[in-house]
């Protein structure tokens, strides 16, 4: 099979698996500690505003909702998860899946925290690394924890894939 096709297929499996792992974590901390995760409708609202030329908001929560924003947000969430998995496989190679190790997965997971800190949160009107939120430290820790869990999810999904592909 073409290596590019194989890379894309494995990145999709790996990214979807890691994102599911992250979402299960979000459900668990919501149930156990009543700590909510990001409402992906806001991600959809942000992306859904792009065709209008709007790339940042004073406060995304007060912005006009866009059609199908929740579905768009969830689709984007999983697409982004697969994209970061693609980066892992580009850097460490498809061979990483034959014997996954935790460090590369954690590097990617923790590294992805740059995106909410310096892109999404400012674009949502929350400031750099949540600096304009009522509890910036809490926002920062939640983002770091969630992306660390995504990294662990990359590793777990990689182990599952390695068992399947033998």
């Amino acid at each position: 099979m073409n290596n590019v096709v194989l890379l894309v297929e494995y990145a999709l499996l790996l990214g979807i698996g890691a994102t599911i792992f992250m979402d299960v974590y979000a459900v668990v901390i919501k149930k156990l500690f009543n700590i909510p995760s990001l409402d992906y409708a806001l991600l959809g609202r942000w992306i859904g505003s792009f065709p209008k030329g709007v790339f940042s908001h004073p406060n995304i929560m007060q912005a006009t909702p866009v059609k199908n924003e929740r579905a768009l947000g969830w689709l984007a969430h999983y697409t982004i998860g697969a994209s970061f998995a693609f980066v892992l496989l580009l850097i460490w190679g498809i061979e990483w899946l034959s014997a996954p190790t935790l460090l590369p997965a954690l590097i990617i997971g923790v590294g992805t925290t740059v995106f909410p800190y310096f892109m999404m949160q400012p674009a949502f009107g929350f400031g750099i690394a949540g600096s304009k939120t009522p509890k910036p430290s809490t926002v920062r820790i939640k983002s770091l924890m969630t992306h660390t869990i995504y990294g662990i999810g990359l590793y777990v999904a990689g182990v599952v894939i390695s068992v399947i592909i033998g």
Side-chain angles (χ1 to χ4, degrees):
M1 183 179 288
N2 183 329
N3 281 348
V4 174
V5 172
L6 198 58
L7 178 67
V8 170
E9 287 176 355
Y10 284 147
L12 284 169
L13 290 171
L14 186 61
I16 289 169
T19 305
I20 289 169
F21 189 86
M22 184 173 77
D23 289 340
V24 168
Y25 163 80
V27 169
V28 168
I29 65 163
K30 173 69 174 152
K31 296 277 188 204
L32 294 179
F33 305 108
N34 201 30
I35 299 172
S37 67
L38 174 67
D39 178 357
Y40 291 108
L42 297 178
L43 176 60
R45 185 175 300 171
W46 178 51
I47 293 168
S49 298
F50 292 176
K52 300 174 196 151
V54 178
F55 300 98
S56 67
H57 300 267
N59 184 334
I60 192 79
M61 295 165 72
Q62 296 172 350
T64 304
V66 299
K67 186 177 180 182
N68 300 314
E69 64 183 28
R70 187 165 314 280
L72 178 59
W74 278 96
L75 177 64
H77 173 58
Y78 276 83
T79 302
I80 292 164
S83 299
F84 290 140
F86 185 82
V87 171
L88 184 149
L89 295 177
L90 272 180
I91 295 170
W92 280 275
I94 293 174
E95 301 78 25
W96 178 83
L97 285 170
S98 62
T101 54
L102 184 58
L103 186 59
L106 280 178
I107 289 169
I108 294 296
V110 171
T112 62
T113 309
V114 167
F115 293 93
Y117 283 179
F118 298 104
M119 189 169 77
M120 285 179 57
Q121 291 168 2
F124 283 18
F126 302 159
I128 293 173
S131 62
K132 294 182 180 179
T133 63
K135 296 181 179 178
S137 294
T138 301
V139 169
R140 292 173 189 141
I141 290 167
K142 279 179 57 179
S143 291
L144 180 59
M145 288 297 301
T146 300
H147 287 256
T148 300
I149 293 296
Y150 169 76
I152 294 168
L154 285 169
Y155 172 70
V156 170
V159 168
V160 170
I161 292 168
S162 73
V163 168
I164 292 169
I165 63 175

